[in-house]
Amino acid sequence: MADEKISRLVEVAKMYYQLDYSQQDIAMSLGISRPTVSRLLVQAKQEGIVQIKIYNPEEDVEQIAQQVMEKFRLKHCVITPVASFEDPLIKEKLGEAAANYLYQIVESGDTIGITWGTTLYQLVKKMQPKNVKDVTIVQLNGGVSYSESNTYAAEIVNGLANAFNTTPHFLPVPAIVDSIVVKQAIVADRHVKKVLQLGKKANIAIYTVGEPGEQSTLMQAGYFFDSDIEILRENKTVGDICSRFIDRNGRICNDNLNDRTVGIEPMDLSEKKYGILLAGGASKIDGIYGVLTGRYANILITDQYTAKALLEMESDDRNR
C-alpha cells in the first residue's frame, strides 16, 4: 500500500514539475479531483520526493568575487554575469558594470586616467553624467595611427570628459616609437610631459589588457621590428597593459620595446587608489592573470567565466 502511495506521488510530481501539466490536466488524466492533485503535490514535498532548490546567480557571483579578491589580494572585484562566453556580449556587460562602478567612486577633484580599446569604449557608451567638480580626464598612453580595428582613443577620452563636464587631456603621440632617442625627444616636449605627469598622479586609472601575438592592435599597427616580435614570443608574452607587454608573472617581456613606449609605467599603475582592470573573455585570461600577479591592479571588473578560469589557474600553479 505504501509503495502504491509513493508511486502515485511520484507520478503526479513528474506530470506537474517535469511535463508541465496543469493541476486540472493531471486531475482529468488520472480521474481524480483537482483538490486531490494539490494535496498530493503537497505530500510529495513533505515526503522529500519533490525538493525545490532556488538558485540565485548573484550569490554565486558574490562568492566567486570574494575568492578572486582573496587569491589576488584585491581591494575589490566586480563580477558581472553574462549569458554566454562571447566577446561582444562580454565587452558590453563589462562596460556597463564599469560605468556603474566609476559613477559610484568618482568625487570632485579626482583625476581619472584611461587608455583605449573596444571594452573601454563600451564603458563610455554606458557612462551617465555625474554632477562633480574639478575632475581631470587624461589619456594614459599613446595611440596608434593605423589599426584594422578602431581603438576609439579620442571617443573614450572625450566621452569621459563630457560625463564629468570637464576638458580632456589627450596624449596625441604614438604608443611606441622606433628608438629610445625619439622617445626621449617626445617626452621632453612640455605639453607631452604635462599629460604624462597628470597620468602619473591620477588617483583613478582604468585600463584593459591587450591580446598577445598577432591579435595585438599594436602589432597590427606595424610598430614592431622583427626582433621585437621574436623577443616577445621567446618571453611568452600574454598581453599588454597601457602598451607595456608582460608575461604570465607580470614581468616586462621586452626591455628595449618598453623603453620605446610612450605612456604610464606599469609600476605607477600599482600605486593608484583605484587601479581598475576591465577585461574578460577567453583570449584575455592569461593577460589578466599576468596583470593581477604583477600587482598592477587592485580592482578587477570581469565576467563569471573569466573569474572561474583565473581561480583555476591560481590553483593549478599552487599545486605544481
Side-chain angles (χ1 to χ4, degrees), residues 96-232:
E96 183 176 1
N100 292 335
Y101 186 80
L102 187 59
Y103 185 91
Q104 293 173 15
I105 66 171
V106 171
E107 299 176 350
S108 295
D110 282 342
T111 297
I112 307 170
I114 193 165
T115 182
W116 39 259
T118 51
T119 306
L120 293 167
Y121 181 55
Q122 290 297 324
L123 180 161
V124 173
K125 286 173 64 177
K126 303 290 184 179
M127 194 73 222
Q128 295 297 315
K130 185 172 182 179
N131 187 22
V132 289
K133 297 179 180 180
D134 302 321
V135 171
T136 301
I137 307 298
V138 59
Q139 185 176 332
L140 290 176
N141 60 322
V144 296
S145 57
Y146 166 77
S147 173
E148 293 183 1
S149 59
N150 194 343
T151 63
Y152 300 101
E155 292 91 335
I156 290 168
V157 179
N158 264 324
L160 209 56
N162 289 336
F164 298 111
N165 192 31
T166 189
T167 302
H169 295 268
F170 294 97
L171 192 59
V173 296
I176 299 172
V177 294
D178 284 351
S179 71
I180 296 175
V181 173
V182 173
K183 187 243 180 108
Q184 290 172 338
I186 289 174
V187 299
D189 178 86
R190 61 190 176 94
H191 300 290
V192 174
K193 184 182 294 185
K194 178 184 177 182
V195 175
L196 291 174
Q197 288 174 344
L198 283 174
K200 185 172 183 177
K201 80 170 191 176
N203 60 314
I204 301 173
I206 313 167
Y207 55 96
T208 187
V209 57
E211 296 185 19
E214 295 179 359
Q215 298 302 314
S216 166
T217 299
L218 292 168
M219 188 173 291
Q220 293 177 357
Y223 285 152
F224 297 167
F225 298 118
D226 290 343
S227 57
D228 294 328
I229 298 173
E230 184 61 30
I231 292 172
L232 291 176

Side-chain angles (χ1 to χ4, degrees), residues 54 157 164 278 298 320:
I54 298 175
V157 179
F164 298 111
L278 174 62
N298 55 27
R320 284 179 182 175

Side-chain angles (χ1 to χ4, degrees), residues 13-23 25-26:
K14 283 185 175 180
M15 293 176 74
Y16 186 74
Y17 289 105
Q18 293 183 345
L19 302 178
D20 290 329
Y21 278 48
S22 68
Q23 292 188 19
D25 290 339
I26 296 172

Side-chain angles (χ1 to χ4, degrees), residues 45-117:
K45 291 181 185 177
Q46 293 173 341
E47 296 288 338
I49 293 169
V50 173
Q51 299 179 17
I52 297 176
K53 180 180 180 182
I54 298 175
Y55 171 67
N56 183 351
E58 291 186 358
E59 290 181 357
D60 185 44
V61 162
E62 290 175 3
Q63 183 179 11
I64 295 172
Q66 185 61 38
Q67 291 173 346
V68 172
M69 287 173 61
E70 292 174 359
K71 294 290 186 182
F72 297 102
R73 294 179 287 174
L74 301 176
K75 177 188 295 185
H76 200 188
C77 178
V78 177
I79 297 179
T80 183
V82 295
S84 62
F85 205 38
E86 298 176 359
D87 282 347
L89 176 63
I90 291 172
K91 289 178 179 180
E92 181 180 352
K93 292 295 184 182
L94 292 186
E96 183 176 1
N100 292 335
Y101 186 80
L102 187 59
Y103 185 91
Q104 293 173 15
I105 66 171
V106 171
E107 299 176 350
S108 295
D110 282 342
T111 297
I112 307 170
I114 193 165
T115 182
W116 39 259

